[in-house]
Amino acid sequence: DGGITQSPKYLFRKEGQNVTLSCEQNLNHDAMYWYRQDPGQGLRLIYYSQIVNDFQKGDIAEGYSVSREKKESFPLTVTSAQKNPTAFYLCASSIAQQETQYFGPGTRLLVL
Amino acid sequence: KNEVEQSPQNLTAQEGEFITINCSYSVGISALHWLQQHPGGGIVSLFMLSSGKKKHGRLIATINIQEKHSSLHITASHPRDSAVYICAVSLEWGSNYKLTFGKGTLLTVNP
């Protein structure tokens, strides 16, 4: 079964803590993306990667970091510098930019 | 100003009704996407189109490039169609492209 998995489904962060959200795909897609969704707003792009070992900042990259060491994995770290991290985070992938994106089930991050 | 505007924000229909959701955008685009988000949060891509019309089952998407407008139609609506429908446009961004999303239309279909 090909698809995108995200874990965990729910994540709790304490003040000052870094947390990492996992995103894995077995679709052999080159491009991967991280989006943030807040109530009443459209999805916003945090980071994207077109190819292994390369990634670019999106519209709201401050307070986040990513890595792309393997084609199938694109983890997102929410650092303590992100002052308002509570949101729903979605990972997506596509064969290439401009192609249909396939989304993971999402991770809901809550701050304690 | 949001580059992608959807209307209506909320839509309630009776089972069997014909549904139309509209999307307008303000800049030149390379493609437009319609997505469906279920209550649990998962998102499914329904259509990607750059001209004309596409049909998949009871869903029809149209786009008018000159008027910068797209519509998503659902024929013979069913309660399982209840979801948030999101319009997104693919824009040139430097040497790359990125999706800009509308805020979504919450559709509720009652039996």
Side-chain angles (χ1 to χ4, degrees), chain A residues 35 37 40-43 45 48 50 56-59 88 90 97-101 103-105 108, chain B residues 30-31 33 35 37 40-45 48 86 90 93 95-103:
Chain A
Y35 295 100
Q37 187 177 39
Q41 294 195 42
L43 277 71
L45 181 66
Y48 69 100
Q50 294 186 74
Q56 280 83 39
K57 292 181 180 180
D59 295 318
F88 187 55
L90 287 151
Q97 269 202 324
Q98 286 278 72
E99 299 297 329
T100 297
Q101 292 186 20
F103 287 80
R108 198 164 297 276
Chain B
S30 57
H33 301 250
L35 310 162
Q37 185 170 30
I43 291 179
V44 174
S45 181
M48 182 175 76
I86 301 170
S90 183
W93 196 45
S95 58
N96 298 310
Y97 294 87
K98 69 158 187 165
L99 290 184
T100 296
F101 295 80
K103 295 181 180 180

Side-chain angles (χ1 to χ4, degrees), chain A residues 41-42, chain B residues 6-10 84-87 101-106:
Chain A
Q41 294 195 42
Chain B
Q6 287 186 236
S7 63
Q9 271 189 295
N10 295 282
V84 175
Y85 291 85
I86 301 170
C87 172
F101 295 80
K103 295 181 180 180
T105 294
L106 174 60

Side-chain angles (χ1 to χ4, degrees), chain B residues 63-76:
Chain B
I63 188 169
N64 184 319
I65 296 293
Q66 286 74 29
E67 294 187 4
K68 295 186 171 61
H69 181 268
S70 175
S71 293
L72 176 68
H73 305 286
I74 305 176
T75 61

Side-chain angles (χ1 to χ4, degrees), chain B residues 42-53:
Chain B
I43 291 179
V44 174
S45 181
L46 299 174
F47 296 104
M48 182 175 76
L49 64 166
S50 54
S51 64
K53 176 178 170 178

Side-chain angles (χ1 to χ4, degrees), chain A residues 15-59:
Chain A
E15 293 288 341
Q17 190 180 40
N18 292 356
V19 291
T20 297
L21 284 61
S22 167
C23 177
E24 304 276 332
Q25 54 96 1
N26 60 4
L27 300 167
N28 201 32
H29 286 171
D30 281 316
M32 296 188 74
Y33 314 83
W34 274 105
Y35 295 100
R36 170 179 170 141
Q37 187 177 39
D38 294 281
Q41 294 195 42
L43 277 71
R44 292 180 290 169
L45 181 66
I46 304 173
Y47 268 97
Y48 69 100
S49 168
Q50 294 186 74
I51 200 164
V52 175
N53 293 322
D54 181 62
F55 49 83
Q56 280 83 39
K57 292 181 180 180
D59 295 318

